[in-house]
Amino acid sequence: MPQDQRFSRLVMAAEPRPFWLDRPDAPPAREPLRGEAAADLVVIGGGFTGLWTALLARESDPERSVVLAEGNRIGWAASGRNGGFCEASLTHGAANGRDRFPAEFDTLQRLGAENLDAIEAALGRHGIACDFERTGSVSVATEEYQVAGLREAAESGGTAFLDADAMRAEVNSPTYLAGVWDKGGTALVHPARLAWGLAAACERLGVRIVERTPATGLAGDADGVTVRTRNGVLRADRVALGTSAFPSLLRRVRPYTVPVYDYVLVTEPLSPAQLAEVGWRNRQGIGDSGNQFHYYRLTPDNRILWGGYDAIYHFGRGIRLAYDQRPATFAVLADHFFATFPQLEGIGFSHRWGGVIDTCSRFCAFFGTAHSGRVGYALGYTGLGVGASRFGARVMLDLLGGERTELTGLKMVRSKPIPFPPEPLAYLGVQATRWSLARADRRSGRRNLWLRALDAAGLGFDS
Ligand SMILES: Cc1cc2nc3c(=O)[nH]c(=O)nc-3n(C[C@H](O)[C@H](O)[C@H](O)COP(=O)(O)OP(=O)(O)OC[C@H]3O[C@@H](n4cnc5c(N)ncnc54)[C@H](O)[C@@H]3O)c2cc1C
């Protein structure tokens, strides 16, 4: 059988759902909102951004009443279906942060490190079991031209450079030419257990959570904000929006993001013999260094989660359940998986899925308020929000508090990304960028005119 047909068969045998959410101990659905309710703070969205916002709001002011409304189920979207790389970086990597916010880069790095420590502390304080492993992460070079970049990154970031032998001694792949191991900057988590655990912690602190309660609109007046939901109305003094890639309740925010789909495979658990072939005793998260990069890691039960590479945008900012499955991308991912780990020939995949990412043109979160400071939002994490969403929640709460704080004074908080143009320009722009990035990967990283123009306009993607 031809190789591509073999990969197609292999991936189509996998369950078409996120591995993380596919658990017998998934919590039962909470009741939707019917009728009216009021709270000091209403949070819309039950992903990490909304959950951290609700938790931190109650922690800082136990008198404040908080209702969180989720349109579907807690953690069903990006927060429960990601790679589980919980990174300290708030800026989608050091290079992006240094380029965009040079004057406050050190501050952002410090805040990011504090944020990761605070996540770990909160998990302990609230007894949230989510397989948090502070393994660090390794960027690997799989092409000769990437090695020098990694060496430079290791020097400027104070991280450990591994040559090909040292890298393969950590994780055994014939494709590795070098690696940089950032030991402190990343933890791995079980993202669905984190989302469920945060929701349970919120409820223990007195937050009311309603699921299957999509908010359909909001209006502000002198006394507060009214949020209409499918079967009810929420009245609030302040509203925090953590709605990510989904259409914002604030129309003016919509042009700043496009929904981009990212895809993941998970293997069957590795046998002890298979694991011994790969090594990976330190269980680091791994990412390769191309523009179209893979990210991968061991799950708590020693499967390999293998994601990334393709980034798919649908004309008109399309978001549909059907887009969570993309057989062509799964087959490509399987091909690349076996090229990386040929010794695992014969292993099957247990799960395949996709999810939507709130991509913005600066590749890290942005923030703002509307309705005279009563409505706040945080979004635009561009695929790196597992850790940064807690920072986003803190920023939103500070903005809604109306006082100047260290966070609200940051340029990163006060500035916005460049918005995307309307269709068909958005679609054409995204496709041209994807095509050019793939081409650069094939040509030793050399960027064409289009990418150089984007770089010059401050829109370049170098992650
Ligand atoms: C496949 C994949 C892999 C990823 N891997 C990583 C990774 O390894 N590391 C990392 O840092 N990041 C990763 N990310 C990104 C990360 O998952 C997100 O940045 C993060 O989860 C965003 O959290 P959020 O709460 O802002 O958004 P979401 O988790 O998307 O939550 C938004 C919620 O808002 C709800 N909502 C939207 N509109 C409404 C409305 N009108 N009314 C009520 N509810 C509404 C939605 O139903 C949803 O539950 C990945 C993402 C994907 C898709």
Side-chain angles (χ1 to χ4, degrees):
M1 188 190 298
Q3 193 80 320
D4 51 343
Q5 275 183 30
R6 203 171 60 82
F7 291 137
S8 299
R9 276 218 188 157
L10 201 60
V11 292
M12 293 322 276
E15 294 287 338
R17 63 182 67 102
F19 164 73
W20 304 117
L21 294 166
D22 188 14
R23 284 178 69 99
D25 61 352
R30 296 168 176 86
E31 285 300 308
L33 176 75
R34 291 200 180 82
E36 291 189 12
D40 296 323
L41 174 69
V42 162
V43 179
I44 306 296
F48 292 142
T49 300
L51 289 164
W52 280 115
T53 305
L55 190 82
L56 294 173
R58 285 292 292 191
E59 278 190 331
S60 65
D61 180 2
E63 301 300 311
R64 169 160 48 183
S65 57
V66 180
V67 172
L68 184 153
E70 162 54 45
N72 188 331
R73 299 291 311 281
I74 292 294
W76 79 279
S79 296
R81 60 180 64 215
N82 56 65
F85 286 58
C86 185
E87 304 218 351
S89 176
L90 304 173
T91 56
H92 213 302
N96 192 44
R98 213 178 270 118
D99 274 4
R100 291 180 199 283
F101 311 108
E104 64 189 30
F105 176 68
D106 290 343
T107 306
L108 292 172
Q109 291 292 92
R110 170 181 57 80
L111 290 168
E114 287 171 7
N115 186 56
L116 184 55
D117 288 343
I119 290 173
E120 186 170 13
L123 301 182
R125 196 163 61 247
H126 294 286
I128 297 173
C130 60
D131 304 299
F132 186 89
E133 300 179 71
R134 210 141 176 186
T135 59
S137 61
V138 183
S139 301
V140 293
T142 54
E143 302 284 345
E144 205 50 64
Y145 77 91
Q146 297 165 351
V147 175
L150 287 190
R151 205 183 287 277
E152 232 174 77
E155 274 160 22
S156 61
T159 42
F161 180 81
L162 309 176
D163 64 16
D165 288 343
M167 186 58 231
R168 290 179 200 180
E170 284 296 326
V171 183
N172 184 17
S173 168
T175 62
Y176 294 162
L177 303 177
V180 170
W181 186 0
D182 175 4
K183 296 188 177 173
T186 303
L188 298 181
V189 294
H190 187 305
R193 295 187 79 199
L194 174 56
W196 296 332
L198 285 172
C202 283
E203 288 179 321
R204 284 195 296 275
L205 293 187
V207 175
R208 178 180 175 198
I209 298 181
V210 288
E211 291 183 299
R212 294 166 295 160
T213 302
T216 52
L218 59 75
D221 58 46
D223 302 324
V225 184
T226 303
V227 181
R228 292 183 303 283
T229 69
R230 188 155 59 197
N231 294 308
V233 173
L234 285 163
R235 187 75 197 149
D237 181 49
R238 295 284 188 272
V239 172
L241 300 177
T243 55
S244 188
F246 301 90
S248 177
L249 293 171
L250 298 170
R251 279 187 173 274
R252 75 180 84 155
V253 176
R254 292 183 189 174
Y256 289 110
T257 60
V258 288
V260 171
Y261 279 81
D262 183 31
Y263 293 92
V264 185
L265 292 175
V266 160
T267 67
E268 302 288 354
L270 272 62
S271 68
Q274 285 170 323
L275 201 52
E277 295 261 355
V278 179
W280 219 338
R281 279 173 300 279
N282 290 311
R283 303 180 62 79
Q284 312 92 331
I286 302 180
D288 48 41
S289 307
N291 291 305
Q292 288 190 289
F293 63 97
H294 308 88
Y295 53 88
Y296 45 108
R297 57 166 287 186
L298 292 168
T299 63
D301 61 350
N302 290 334
R303 298 160 194 265
I304 295 177
L305 175 148
W306 178 263
Y309 193 73
D310 258 353
I312 304 295
Y313 172 69
H314 296 278
F315 188 88
R317 295 185 155 72
I319 299 180
R320 287 199 201 144
L321 275 185
Y323 295 157
D324 291 357
Q325 295 297 321
R326 195 164 194 274
T329 294
F330 296 134
V332 169
L333 284 174
D335 182 4
H336 296 176
F337 173 83
F338 287 113
T340 303
F341 296 121
Q343 66 273 49
L344 296 180
E345 183 64 42
I347 200 166
F349 294 101
S350 66
H351 293 77
R352 55 178 156 96
W353 72 93
V356 66
I357 281 171
D358 51 342
T359 298
C360 74
S361 62
R362 73 182 198 187
F363 315 113
C364 58
F366 62 93
F367 317 88
T369 59
H371 295 283
S372 311
R374 288 184 182 276
V375 178
Y377 56 88
L379 75 163
Y381 304 101
T382 318
L384 209 74
V386 172
S389 51
R390 181 186 172 280
F391 174 79
R394 281 188 63 208
V395 171
M396 244 197 309
L397 288 171
D398 280 8
L399 288 172
L400 288 171
E403 277 163 38
R404 192 179 165 100
T405 65
E406 180 184 23
L407 303 193
T408 63
L410 292 169
K411 178 166 181 241
M412 183 188 176
V413 171
R414 288 183 286 107
S415 61
K416 293 268 191 310
I418 295 174
F420 289 90
E423 298 292 16
L425 293 179
Y427 183 79
L428 294 173
V430 174
Q431 300 309 335
T433 307
R434 278 190 62 210
W435 183 85
S436 303
L437 288 172
R439 188 161 183 263
D441 282 343
R442 288 191 307 272
R443 302 177 70 211
S444 304
R446 282 197 300 281
R447 294 165 92 77
N448 65 11
L449 211 58
W450 171 252
L451 293 179
R452 291 206 303 274
L454 291 180
D455 291 343
L459 299 166
F461 190 57
D462 58 3
S463 177

